[in-house]
Amino acid sequence: MDKKELEKQYQELIAQVEKHNHLYYVENAPQISDREFDELYKKLESFEKDHPKLVMDYSPTRRVGAKLPKNSKFEKREHLAQLLSLSNTYNISEIMDFFTRIKKGTDSEENSCQVILEPKYDGISIELVYENGKLVRGVTRGDGLVGDDITQNIRTIMDIPLALRSPYPGKLSVRGEVYLTFDEFDKINQRREKAEKKPFMNPRNAAGGTLHLKDPEIVDSRMLQCFVYDLVFTDGPKYESHLEIIKDLKRLGFKAVDNFEKLDIDQSEIIDEVEKKIEKWEKLLPTLPYPVDGIVFKVNSIALREKLGTNIKDPKWGFAYKFPTREVPTILDDIEYNIGRTGALTPVAILKPVLIDGTVVKRASLHNFGDIVKKKLNYGDKVLVKKAGEIIPQVVKKIDNQDEETLLEQPHRCPVCHTRLEERSESDEEDDIQLFCPNPHCQDRMIQSLIYFVHRNCMNIDLVGEKIITRLFARGLVRKPIDLYKLREEELMQLDLIAEVSARKIIESIENSKTVEFYKFVRSLGIPNVGEFVAKKLAGYFSTLENLIEQIENSSVAILFDELTGKGEKEIKGIGKITAFRIIEYFQNWKNLDQIKKFSDVLLIENGKNKARSEKLADLKFCLTGKLSLPRPEIKKEIEKNGGRVVATVSNQTDYLLAGEKPGSKKAKAEKLGVKILDEEQYRTLLN
Ligand code: IVH
């Protein structure tokens, strides 16, 4: 047979296998039995064996590639266009505000008030790039501009085509969500538990972890799937609507978003309509085989999308509604206590395992012992648990024996070092009880202080984390932060699994941390209540480490206290009495001062970088709310650069509430407390 004929035969075989793969994995409607498929697949395999030179990269037999070296890193890749995110809400009225904004952008003659409603798949967002109809790249979303090149792993996902159906554009980039069904997630976790590996928290984490494995064979075994829901770039035909895009993506061979609905947002009963849809979706959720955490609304007309434009990170034409987090009942089995670096005891509720939105919840946090008192908790109580924000679940309240007054017993001794606990209260409320272990040598306190010291916000010793600290401590190699700077490679190599190269790199990372900004060093001391803001204030005030030591040694405590709270000659305003007290308490302890002196022989402190560049907002406390024209971290930076401070909640200590669009409950609170409310223009005037 001549080469052309062979090639034709090969292409036909590929097309046959691909057709049946597609029918099985995308359409969910196989036309041949598994046995018939196996025969067909084997035929293709044996053809390739006989004609190795003809083998194409997009052949269905070439989905699983070779392993990547264990310590290799996924390459970073720029997306063809920015992968935007979506603003989201838990509030139906905000969906209406979104519709109003769209209508404002619509010309009356345009018939474009159609919005498409789609499921919000809870997986990992990826970009797929095709050149001349062949998959060339699969990249994670990353920061929206650059992500990890995970092409090897993406190729194993059976509903992602390696080759598009023709006609196809020269270049095409689409966006989708890689996910795991609940069934696959359970299977993976069962296998992990058998192998004594930590189970994944939820299907999304499992999908994310799988996409970052170095062995495509394992990825292949995990049966990831992908819904494609957006076009990022094409040099092919222009589309007029989202539905047209979805239809064409299906034609090209993708498993494009299903279950979408059209909404006419001009109709008068639109709010009832949306409520009905949300209700319908909430009922549908438990029946779906894969996780969905909300619904997405998208303007259908591409022309209107272009007219509406985008904000910095999200388009003005799209919006997501997230289903409210469910509160699920379970039993409180036990309480454990974690001891922080300051000695504070944080109770952790140990629960009968319960599934919340696809995550098995076994532990939940409680604020402090007062929280147990307030919620009248005892062992064996039936409690409601919810997932707060993303990860840490919380005990909401107990739901049986509401009038039962017997509480679980308040611990009197530290569970680690058995020192008698102290009770402290940060407010006047009767049941605001925080328990403290006062023993500075308590093992858990010391370990937590070390973990805090190496954190990236403090000394930033990036290769030393919790695991290494715990092992170094257990071996008695490091007890106090200064000991880290005495460590030798041979000592590190005494720890399991640390070989020479790693030990060298760890020592290097410790060495690198010696050059540090003064405020970061001050923060790393772990003085109670001293976070970034106060650390910067202290660093600015003392200006050098030598000066700090001298002042602490020579100033009487009362003078320093007055200066910290703003009554002295030099004044460090913005530091409250309790914090000032904690600072004095810390510096008064000669052992702490002794430690600091030892650091001055080791570290190379960079001074001055931490000084505010302007004092325009000196000591003013701002709280931010609503949608502002810049991302919040940028505004926070700007305020801090000008000497101000950003706080999370409005109180009568707050000087200004900077309110953007849709300010929410903080505004009402500010009005009630008489806190001045600024819009962005007034804020700019204040700055300039
Ligand atoms: S559209 C520019 N549609 O939700 C709009 N996103 O913040 C791009 N997601 O990161 C997103 N299902 O990972 C869109 N049907 C869907 C989606 C969806 C899930 C994810 C996506 C994105 C996040 C939105």
Side-chain angles (χ1 to χ4, degrees), residues 623-626 632 647-650 657-658 663-673 675 677:
C623 182
L624 312 180
T625 185
R632 290 214 184 156
V647 291
T649 48
V650 178
L657 178 74
L658 171 54
S665 62
K666 281 187 189 161
K667 190 170 175 199
K669 190 161 179 203
E671 276 163 355
K672 199 169 146 205
L673 295 174
V675 172
I677 300 172

Side-chain angles (χ1 to χ4, degrees), residues 107-163:
D107 294 338
S108 48
E109 69 270 16
E110 269 171 339
N111 177 24
S112 49
C113 267
Q114 215 177 50
V115 164
I116 307 300
L117 182 158
E118 285 173 5
K120 185 171 179 312
Y121 306 103
D122 193 10
I124 304 294
S125 187
I126 51 143
E127 181 197 26
L128 301 172
V129 181
Y130 290 81
E131 279 169 15
N132 300 319
K134 308 294 175 298
L135 176 70
V136 291
R137 215 156 51 239
V139 186
T140 59
R141 177 171 180 270
D143 62 2
L145 298 170
V146 175
D148 292 334
D149 186 331
I150 48 160
T151 314
Q152 286 265 81
N153 292 340
I154 289 290
R155 286 174 62 91
T156 68
I157 304 177
M158 293 303 287
D159 48 21
I160 295 180
L162 296 181

Side-chain angles (χ1 to χ4, degrees), residues 82-88 117-126 141 175-178 227-231 242 257-258 291-298 305 310 313-315 317-320 322:
Q82 185 180 4
L83 302 195
L84 297 164
S85 180
L86 287 177
S87 321
N88 63 57
L117 182 158
E118 285 173 5
K120 185 171 179 312
Y121 306 103
D122 193 10
I124 304 294
S125 187
I126 51 143
R141 177 171 180 270
R175 182 165 172 193
E177 200 81 354
V178 171
F227 274 116
V228 169
Y229 50 69
D230 203 15
L231 178 73
H242 180 61
V257 48
D258 57 355
V292 164
D293 62 343
I295 44 188
V296 177
F297 297 90
K298 295 175 180 175
R305 283 189 184 189
T310 66
K313 287 206 161 155
D314 42 56
W317 48 260
F319 202 65
K322 289 201 131 189

Side-chain angles (χ1 to χ4, degrees), residues 454-470:
V454 298
H455 190 270
R456 97 179 101 77
N457 292 336
C458 298
M459 299 301 280
N460 191 18
I461 308 183
D462 56 350
L463 293 186
V464 180
E466 189 171 337
K467 261 195 200 152
I468 294 188
I469 290 285
T470 316

